[in-house]
Amino acid sequence: MIELAHRLPQRRKLVTALPGPRSAALAARRKAAVAAGVGSTAPVFAADADGGVLVDVDGNSLIDLGSGIAVTSVGASHPAVAAAIAEQAARFTHTCFMVTPYEEYVRVAEELAALTPGDHDKRSVLFNSGAEAVENAVKVARLATGRTAVVAFDHAYHGRTNLTMALTAKNMPYKERFGPFAPEIYRMPMSYPYRDEPGLTGAMAARRAISRIETQLGADAVAAVIVEPIQGEGGFIVPAPGFLAALSDWAREHGIVFIADEVQTGFARTGAWFACEHEGVVPDLITMAKGIAGGMPLAAVTGRAELLDAVHSGGLGGTYGGNPVACAAASATLGVMRELDLPARAREIEAVVLPRLRELAAETGVVGDVRGRGAMLALELVRPGTAEPAPELAKAVAANALSQGLLTLTCGTYGNVIRLLPPLVIGPDLLADGIGVLADALRASA
Ligand SMILES: *Cc1c(COP(=O)(O)O)cnc(C)c1O
């Protein structure tokens, strides 16, 4: 892994206890002005970020192994992205594509057609958030099939709007008392190799879900099956090999739209442009956001031309969808990803980090499972000698790491997963330091 040039020194350095006085003062202002329902992982306020570091308002330099939840894969201030944003903003920030179209939107759609799996004829539509992309993929699938039922999976996360809350599996904190939820959503068992009965193959896990769909709904009622090829918020669950392929084959046989939600896994994160590629799966529709635009809010649905073109003119859109500044950032981001071959870099990160995580698992006895692909890696923490989830341990490890200047995220249905989502441009020394801090935090808390 080569060291890339960065604007900020790529090193961990604490100059105050966390939070420092400036962050503490901002936290007090925040409490009086910002809704309590918005949580934050870290108690520090950001001032600057570049490569693999995030500098807070007190001058502490933290190692960022979260990338703002898999968003800043090219870093949070890549010069090519910043320049594209400035150049576009200086010409025009908005016209509304539904009023006066512009080339930047078309270019992103062309790029997505070329990048996403499959060589069929494709169309794209752009939005502002992952949830909006998912909502619209479901709209397209329902209209194109004339059916209503949508199948989602255990541990799924698809967003926080009404329809996507219904698709999301976990109650706290996403759904608790926010109902009633959108109807016609059906939840099926996921392939979760660590927690499934031993020997359950991907094909068997798919069959388990399919037979339930067939008996409870009937295949003919189903408009779409939506699945994250590697589940994100649900715990970085990598389904057993063959699960996705069996599911998508069955969907195709029955005229069901197979939607891959690659909002978290897309854009080089897992060592391929899209995680479906690892399983040789070509989705009918693919939802994307997070890593697409170097931090700018942009989302997309790309898929089969006959599905997206089935929708009447005016049926899809939104005031800000495909904002020109966000589109310019996306084209620049995709250019950086190609130029630096970030899928290969994600594989290098896996090659460096995964063995270290396995060593840690063997050493500490509190890691039930080490999993993930590319730069989307996780530790599932359990009580020693059992598979019982240890969420308090995950919390303690993340807090300990943070106190030493390492930002990590937790996730999982049981809240017991430490997930690593480094910017793909992180350098080898900083990455090694980060994993060292994580190891110490795990040892100290276990
Ligand atoms: C984050 C995420 C979403 C929602 O994206 P937002 O931009 O937060 O609305 C949807 N699906 C998956 C898989 C995600 O990880």
Side-chain angles (χ1 to χ4, degrees):
M1 195 190 302
I2 57 160
E3 190 74 63
L4 302 167
H6 294 290
R7 176 175 53 84
L8 293 178
Q10 298 293 297
R11 55 147 204 267
R12 174 172 61 100
K13 187 169 175 228
L14 295 184
V15 295
T16 71
L18 302 185
R22 290 193 169 150
S23 279
L26 280 167
R29 277 172 57 196
R30 166 193 173 141
K31 198 167 179 330
V34 178
V38 190
S40 295
T41 302
V44 300
F45 281 72
D48 203 348
D50 176 41
V53 298
L54 195 150
V55 178
D56 76 7
V57 289
D58 292 288
N60 296 297
S61 181
L62 311 182
I63 303 177
D64 177 12
L65 295 189
S67 299
I69 320 188
V71 169
T72 53
S73 298
V74 298
S77 59
H78 193 285
V81 177
I85 291 170
E87 192 278 330
Q88 179 60 43
R91 284 190 294 119
F92 62 97
T93 57
H94 177 83
T95 61
C96 185
F97 193 76
M98 301 183 305
V99 177
T100 315
Y102 37 87
E103 183 181 356
E104 290 74 13
Y105 189 120
V106 178
R107 185 181 302 126
V108 171
E110 289 167 348
E111 288 179 309
L112 294 178
L115 273 180
T116 51
D119 51 15
H120 50 281
D121 204 12
K122 295 172 196 162
R123 301 287 185 270
S124 290
V125 53
L126 305 182
F127 302 99
N128 308 295
S129 70
E132 224 188 327
V134 170
E135 291 251 356
N136 280 278
V138 169
K139 280 166 66 171
V140 168
R142 282 179 169 158
L143 184 147
T145 59
R147 305 171 181 177
T148 53
V150 177
V151 168
F153 287 87
D154 286 336
H155 315 290
Y157 181 85
H158 297 293
R160 295 171 178 272
T161 57
N162 188 260
L163 175 60
T164 61
M165 268 195 296
L167 291 167
T168 290
K170 191 176 177 179
N171 183 49
M172 251 331 247
Y174 310 121
K175 303 170 75 166
E176 171 76 11
R177 289 178 287 155
F178 289 146
F181 302 109
E184 287 300 294
I185 306 294
Y186 300 91
R187 192 164 310 287
M188 296 297 156
M190 181 64 184
S191 166
Y192 189 165
Y194 175 59
R195 296 196 175 274
D196 280 337
E197 51 278 32
L200 191 84
T201 64
M204 288 158 70
R207 187 29 59 194
R208 174 176 69 180
I210 289 165
S211 68
R212 266 199 222 185
I213 299 170
E214 286 175 336
T215 53
Q216 294 181 13
L217 307 175
D220 291 352
V222 179
V225 168
I226 182 164
V227 65
E228 299 154 85
I230 297 175
Q231 291 184 315
E233 306 306 299
F236 281 25
I237 300 163
V238 186
F243 174 78
L244 295 171
L247 202 60
S248 91
D249 288 348
W250 173 81
R252 185 167 313 110
E253 271 166 44
H254 293 276
I256 297 166
V257 177
F258 184 83
I259 306 171
D261 182 351
E262 294 241 21
V263 167
Q264 191 154 161
T265 48
F267 301 105
R269 174 57 51 188
T270 68
W273 281 100
F274 294 95
C276 275
E277 294 169 37
H278 299 293
E279 291 284 314
V281 167
V282 176
D284 299 310
L285 297 177
I286 173 162
T287 54
M288 295 158 272
K290 293 195 166 100
I292 189 172
M296 294 297 283
L298 188 71
V301 179
T302 297
R304 295 190 181 279
E306 64 273 23
L307 296 176
L308 281 149
D309 281 348
V311 180
H312 47 276
S313 177
L316 302 174
T319 306
Y320 294 114
N323 170 273
V325 180
C327 285
S331 290
T333 298
L334 298 178
V336 171
M337 287 180 167
R338 273 189 292 264
E339 183 194 314
L340 298 177
D341 194 359
L342 291 191
R345 212 169 160 93
R347 294 193 296 274
E348 288 180 74
I349 290 172
E350 175 183 334
V352 170
V353 176
L354 206 52
R356 292 288 321 274
L357 298 183
R358 294 214 169 102
E359 280 168 29
L360 265 178
E363 182 195 322
T364 59
V366 293
V367 180
D369 195 24
V370 175
R371 59 178 177 253
R373 280 195 205 273
M376 182 171 183
L377 301 170
L379 300 169
E380 177 159 358
L381 304 185
V382 293
R383 297 195 213 299
T386 74
E388 235 181 280
E392 65 298 322
L393 179 61
K395 210 176 278 175
V397 171
N400 184 307
L402 185 65
S403 74
Q404 300 306 308
L406 172 69
L407 187 54
T408 59
L409 303 172
T410 60
C411 67
T413 295
Y414 315 108
N416 64 327
V417 177
I418 303 266
R419 56 170 154 174
L420 305 179
L421 289 164
L424 303 180
V425 295
I426 194 169
D429 295 346
L430 194 67
L431 183 61
D433 184 31
I435 299 303
V437 174
L438 178 67
D440 289 343
L442 197 60
R443 287 186 196 109
S445 311

